[in-house]
Every structure is written in structure tokens, then in C-alpha cells.
Amino acid sequence: MGELNHVVIVGGTHGNERIGIHLEKKFSQRPALVQRPSFSTQVLLGNPEATAAGVRYLDRDLNRSFERDRLQNQNLTSYEDRQARQIAQKIESSSHAPVDVIVDMHSTTSNVGLTVIIDQEEGFALKLAAYLQQQNSSIKVYSTAGAGRNRDALRSLAKFGFCIEVGPVAQGVLDADLFQKTEALVYMILDYLEQYNRHQVSLLNCSLTLYRHLGTIDYPRNEHREIQAMIHPQLQSKDYQPLYPGDPMFLTFDGETMSYEGTEIVYPMFINEAAYYEKEIAMCLTQKAQIIV
Amino acid sequence: MGELNHVVIVGGTHGNERIGIHLEKKFSQRPALVQRPSFSTQVLLGNPEATAAGVRYLDRDLNRSFERDRLQNQNLTSYEDRQARQIAQKIESSSHAPVDVIVDMHSTTSNVGLTVIIDQEEGFALKLAAYLQQQNSSIKVYSTAGAGRNRDALRSLAKFGFCIEVGPVAQGVLDADLFQKTEALVYMILDYLEQYNRHQVSLLNCSLTLYRHLGTIDYPRNEHREIQAMIHPQLQSKDYQPLYPGDPMFLTFDGETMSYEGTEIVYPMFINEAAYYEKEIAMCLTQKAQIIV
């Protein structure tokens, strides 16, 4: 065995993201697809009850339920709190514990194409990301370093957690093209991990384009927290494209344009993600950076 | 008053279709937008509880809950059955009863653009449809005549029921462009009704393109009713385009193409609608017809 012994691939952390759900099912039925010689791979359906019901979650967002305090608090009895504890136990009691890498497969209604989320900007994650971008230049890398996702997300149970986000696809919809692209991306990650264990990785001065999380923007709301404007048609689907000060950002229901009032060029993503209305997020803002790995 | 006295505009019959929900709210707050001199207009939020929860429905599809037997059966106590009875009572006890026209605003994850559904192919509906297509040639008219929608849908409470379907838009997402297009389409319908009452309609040998409902196609499933294939990428988003015998229809999870095995050219629509997986509908097949109104 190499340095990485145990990899977990997760689908259905959100029960209405069908691409990950059906890939998890495929990998479960044909484990050879995700096995590699130098490490063991486990496949996991994150939220079975939400998947059966076709909803994101039953009681609370499972992918925000993995803070260590929550996991240790037996008084929390929501379905997702119980499921989070069960997943943590399962992973930690596994014969190959601790788990080295978790790849969590998600989808989004926003136009993020093929995105890999890294939660820490450290050597291993950056090299993997650079490798993926080298293999497929359309892959976007979104860094949430500092945003706490390495504390509350399912993938935070591993030493190295990666999230795949593909879009746009509606909740509850299987998109064949994005299904195949997600599958190929999982294999690409597994192949990299195999190369890593075999010390065959050769990335010399490899350039990586990173989109670094800056913060979130909410919809304009009134005093009752009701939405007062929509994503502007000129911004809709423009994930990862530069937004300049003064550019249209929202459109009121009466057709008035509201502009981006910042002073800095930013790169929005997760624009108009259905599940983020309740989180009061209309989009995430990022900074684009080019780094050498 | 003219021949048409009472019009009802409905949004949120499905609680996760935000375009109709926010248009209903806009019209409620500014009723003058939908008032016309010759008839009264009432605005209605179809499913308030599902809208609050952001789901299509709580217990059962409200828009399949209006059969007369159901409405009269007080033993049916699901939320949507109770809501259907309340809507029927409200509409029928209104000072302007009976209601002449209902326009129900929906959205779909399928690529139907701007679609108007008529449930009966009779003079009034066909003339309205022809007028709309004359005003905006991109409007598609889908006829469900014979499919029972004039018995179970909310709009069946009126003498003339029309459904607006716009897409593609994910469930739970507000799309500004489709919001504005739906709003314009509602005004176009109201303007036609006003012209009708004033006897100012002049449609002479006006051509109308109809897509007539033929039937539905389910996803390939195994003995456990689990889906075995996805909409083929070459068919995805190709609503209202001709499908020829032998054309790709589904793609299995292993990448095998399954072809359309019919012998007739058909025009699929509602391709990959999220809410129809549970109804075992992958798409509706239609026949294209050109008629003179």
C-alpha cells in the first residue's frame, strides 16, 4: 500500500442531486470501476432517506452537519444529525481508517461547468487540482480556504476532502452529459491518487487557475426577508466570468437594474443556485488567481 | 360587462415554481396590472403551504386533485385535497361566478420555451392560441385534448382553462428572463380577452401550429422500477423538434444508446421534467399539426 490507503467516494449527500446518486449506485454495483491497486475505495450514499424522498434533506443540510461539536452531541436527534454520526462512525471504524481522501459528488443549478472545490490551499490539494486542470483545461478550481467548509462538510472527515460540483442541472434531473463528465472526473482523481502512491506524479512549475472564495451576496430583500429582485439576465449563467463595478447584478420585479457596487473586479459563481435561496446566498464572489504549483 | 366576466390568474399551484409565485405576488400587490375594463380579474396563490416549504406539493399533486368526485369526497383529508376544495369553493362562491377563464402559470425543467397548453380543441381556445402565436411566433401551443387535463387540473374549474409552461428553469429558481416573458404572455392573454369582449377580434384564416398530445414515454426501468437509462444527450433540450424512428432516445449508465423504436415522426416535449420521474414520464410525445382557425 502507498501513502494513501483509504478513499471514499460519496454521492447523494443531497438527496435531489441525481447525478451523484446514480454514480454512487453504479460504483456500488461495479466496484472494480473505482478500485485501484494501491488503495482501497469505499462508496457511500450520503443521505439515503432524502434520496428516497427526492429532497435535498429531511431536517437539516447534511453537508453542514459535520462540525466536531455536533458529531459529539448525542442530544441532536434530527435525521441528518443521526446520519452524520453514523457516517463518521462508519468511516472512522473502517478497517482502513483513517480515511485519506473523500470525493463528494454534487450538482448545482448554477452554470459552474466542471468544478472541483478544495477547502485548503496546501500542497496535496493544489497538486491534485493542477493535475486535473492539466488533463482538462475546462475544469474550474474553487478554493473555500478559510470559509469553514473543512469543518462542517461531509468531506471534512478525511485528511483531504474534495467536492465535485457540476452544473447547470435542475434538482431532481439526471443530465447524461454531466453524468459522464462527473464519472470521468472521478476516474481522473483516482488515477492521480494511484500515481501519487507510486511516486509517479511529475508536475513541474505547473500553472493552476484558482477561484478563491471572497464572500457571498444575498438577494435584495424587504423587512419581511422577501426577495425584491432576481439575478439580472446579463449575469445569469455567467459563473466564473469577471464582474466589473457598475455591471448589472439584479433586476427588480418591475424591471429596474441594480448594479454591482463593489470597487473590485470579482468572479461570481454559484449564481442562482436553487438550494441557496434559503441560505440567503444569491451568488458567491471569488477572486481569480494564477499560481504555480 | 362582456361575455367573459370573471378571469382568475393562478401562480404557485406547484410550490417550487418560483416564476408563477412571484408573478402572483406582483399582481396581488398591484392589481391594476391585470385589471381590464370589461371583466374582473382575481389573483390566486394555488398552494400556499407548498410554496412556503419550497416543494411541489405536501401530500399529493394539487394540479391532479380537481376531479369532481374528489372535490365532493369529504373523506379525502390530505392538504392538497382540502386546498382543492377550498379553491373550488372560493371560485364558485365568488360574486362573479362562474369563472370564465383560468390562466395557471407554471414552469418546467424541460426546454419548452414559452408554451400555452389548451385542454380542448374548440373555437375559443384555438382562436386565443392563434392570436398569441400571431403576436409571438415563438409561442408553442400544446393540446392535451383527450388526456383528461380538463377534468383533474386546477384550470378545469373554469369554462376555459389555459396553462402557461415556461422553461428550462430549475425548480426553486427565479429566472428573470422567463419571469418577464411569462408576465408579457399573461398581459397578451388579458388583452385578447378584452378584445374578445369588445368584439374586436379579427382573425381571418389564421394559421396555428399545434402539438397534439399522443402519449408518454417512461424511462427504461428494471424490475424494482429503478431507472436504467438517462435522456440521451442528443435528445436533451430538443423539445418540439422532430424525433425520427431510430434516433437516439436514452443512454444507459454504461454509455449504450437506446433508440426511438416507433415508426412515426413525433415531437417530444416535457423532456426530462424533474417532477415527472415519479409519474414515470421521461417525455410526452406529440404530433405536429397546422390548422386554420
Side-chain angles (χ1 to χ4, degrees), chain B residues 39-195:
Chain B
F39 55 86
S40 75
T41 305
Q42 185 182 348
V43 180
L44 184 77
L45 181 64
N47 197 329
E49 291 290 324
T51 299
V55 297
R56 183 174 172 90
Y57 57 79
L58 300 189
D59 297 322
R60 55 173 281 123
D61 191 336
L62 177 64
N63 209 28
R64 302 290 185 284
S65 301
F66 287 85
E67 288 106 346
R68 298 307 170 267
D69 287 354
R70 291 198 78 83
L71 291 177
Q72 283 159 16
N73 185 346
Q74 300 286 334
N75 295 326
L76 299 172
T77 58
S78 78
Y79 170 70
E80 276 79 12
D81 278 311
R82 287 180 285 125
Q83 181 63 10
R85 285 198 292 271
Q86 201 177 84
I87 290 173
Q89 268 167 19
K90 195 171 176 178
I91 281 182
E92 283 156 12
S93 69
S94 149
S95 58
H96 299 296
V99 59
D100 298 298
V101 176
I102 289 179
V103 179
D104 196 2
M105 303 178 290
H106 287 254
S107 57
T108 166
T109 63
S110 63
N111 186 26
V112 302
L114 285 181
T115 289
V116 173
I117 305 181
I118 61 172
D119 300 325
Q120 303 172 61
E121 291 185 28
E122 49 67 50
F124 181 80
L126 291 173
K127 276 181 197 150
L128 169 55
Y131 170 83
L132 298 174
Q133 222 169 54
Q134 201 182 47
Q135 297 291 306
N136 178 348
S137 62
S138 77
I139 291 172
K140 298 284 196 293
V141 178
Y142 167 47
S143 163
T144 68
R149 302 315 318 281
N150 57 343
R151 289 190 297 272
D152 65 1
L154 192 158
R155 61 188 184 266
S156 71
L157 292 175
K159 197 167 163 195
F160 304 111
F162 299 94
C163 177
I164 296 176
E165 284 281 0
V166 299
V169 61
Q171 295 176 344
V173 163
L174 246 178
D175 181 277
D177 179 53
L178 288 174
F179 176 93
Q180 293 188 318
K181 285 178 173 161
T182 304
E183 186 179 8
L185 183 48
V186 169
Y187 297 153
M188 211 187 284
I189 292 172
L190 295 173
D191 292 344
Y192 177 85
L193 301 180
E194 179 66 19
Q195 285 180 34

Side-chain angles (χ1 to χ4, degrees), chain A residues 136-208:
Chain A
N136 177 349
S137 61
S138 76
I139 290 172
K140 297 285 193 295
V141 179
Y142 167 47
S143 163
T144 68
R149 301 317 316 281
N150 58 343
R151 288 190 299 273
D152 65 0
L154 191 159
R155 60 189 184 266
S156 71
L157 293 175
K159 196 168 167 194
F160 304 112
F162 300 95
C163 178
I164 296 176
E165 283 281 3
V166 299
V169 61
Q171 295 176 344
V173 164
L174 248 178
D175 181 277
D177 180 54
L178 288 174
F179 176 94
Q180 293 188 319
K181 284 176 173 162
T182 304
E183 185 179 10
L185 183 48
V186 169
Y187 297 152
M188 212 187 282
I189 292 173
L190 294 173
D191 292 343
Y192 177 86
L193 300 180
E194 179 67 19
Q195 285 180 35
Y196 178 88
N197 273 349
R198 292 172 182 268
H199 307 289
Q200 290 172 346
V201 171
S202 60
L203 287 170
L204 269 179
N205 294 324
C206 184
S207 170
L208 170 65

Side-chain angles (χ1 to χ4, degrees), chain A residues 18 22 25-26 30 109 170-174 176 179-180 226 230-231 233 236 251 253-254 272 274 277, chain B residues 18 22 25-26 30 109 170-176 179-180 226 230-231 233 251 253-254 272 274 277:
Chain A
R18 278 190 195 263
H22 282 275
K25 191 180 275 191
K26 177 172 179 174
R30 298 173 53 191
T109 63
Q171 295 176 344
V173 164
L174 248 178
F179 176 94
Q180 293 188 319
E226 292 171 330
M230 311 171 272
I231 298 292
Q236 177 65 40
L251 187 74
F253 297 118
D254 291 329
N272 214 345
Y277 281 75
Chain B
R18 278 190 195 264
H22 282 274
K25 193 180 275 190
K26 177 172 177 174
R30 298 173 55 190
T109 63
Q171 295 176 344
V173 163
L174 246 178
D175 181 277
F179 176 93
Q180 293 188 318
E226 293 171 329
M230 310 171 272
I231 297 292
L251 187 73
F253 298 118
D254 291 330
N272 214 344
Y277 281 75

